[in-house]
């Protein structure tokens, strides 16, 4: 009896939790890719260049590349979520 009540309440709140999971995944992906891009750019800058401004520019380029990559991935994830029918409509 209790399991039947839990499944009925899960279907009522289902789409809200899917969006929350998508936001959590998007924030995690964005943070991870920006950090990885910054590290890759920073390490490359330390090896190749001597000037501090050039190192900072390459590190910022790496961070921007990671942020852009995360933005593209997150946009595709949310577009797919908008195209999926909600559990209530099925």
């Amino acid at each position: 009896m209790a399991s039947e009540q839990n499944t009925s309440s899960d279907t009522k709140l289902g789409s809200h939790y899917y969006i929350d999971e998508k936001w959590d995944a998007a924030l995690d992906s964005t943070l991870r890719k920006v950090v990885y891009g910054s590290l890759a750019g920073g390490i490359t800058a330390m090896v190749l260049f001597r000037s501090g401004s050039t190192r900072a520019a390459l590190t910022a380029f790496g961070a921007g590349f990671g942020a852009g990559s995360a933005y593209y991935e997150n946009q595709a994830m949310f577009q797919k979520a908008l195209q999926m029918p909600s559990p209530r409509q099925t």
Side-chain angles (χ1 to χ4, degrees):
M1 182 75 170
S3 64
E4 291 175 13
Q5 291 175 351
N6 287 342
T7 41
S8 65
S9 66
D10 289 342
T11 57
K12 291 178 186 174
L13 301 174
S15 71
H16 176 69
Y17 289 118
Y18 291 133
I19 295 298
D20 286 346
E21 289 175 5
K22 298 261 188 230
W23 273 106
D24 288 343
L27 290 173
D28 179 52
S29 172
T30 301
L31 182 63
R32 188 177 309 156
K33 288 185 180 193
V34 167
V35 168
Y36 290 161
S38 296
L39 286 174
I43 291 170
T44 304
M46 294 296 281
V47 171
L48 296 178
F49 300 110
R50 290 186 184 184
S51 171
S53 62
T54 307
R55 287 179 178 175
L58 191 57
T59 303
F61 179 77
F65 190 86
S69 174
Y71 176 79
Y72 179 76
E73 181 181 305
N74 294 336
Q75 184 180 18
M77 180 175 53
F78 280 113
Q79 288 297 327
K80 188 191 310 185
L82 290 175
Q83 292 172 358
M84 288 177 27
S86 68
R88 294 179 196 165
Q89 294 176 352
T90 56

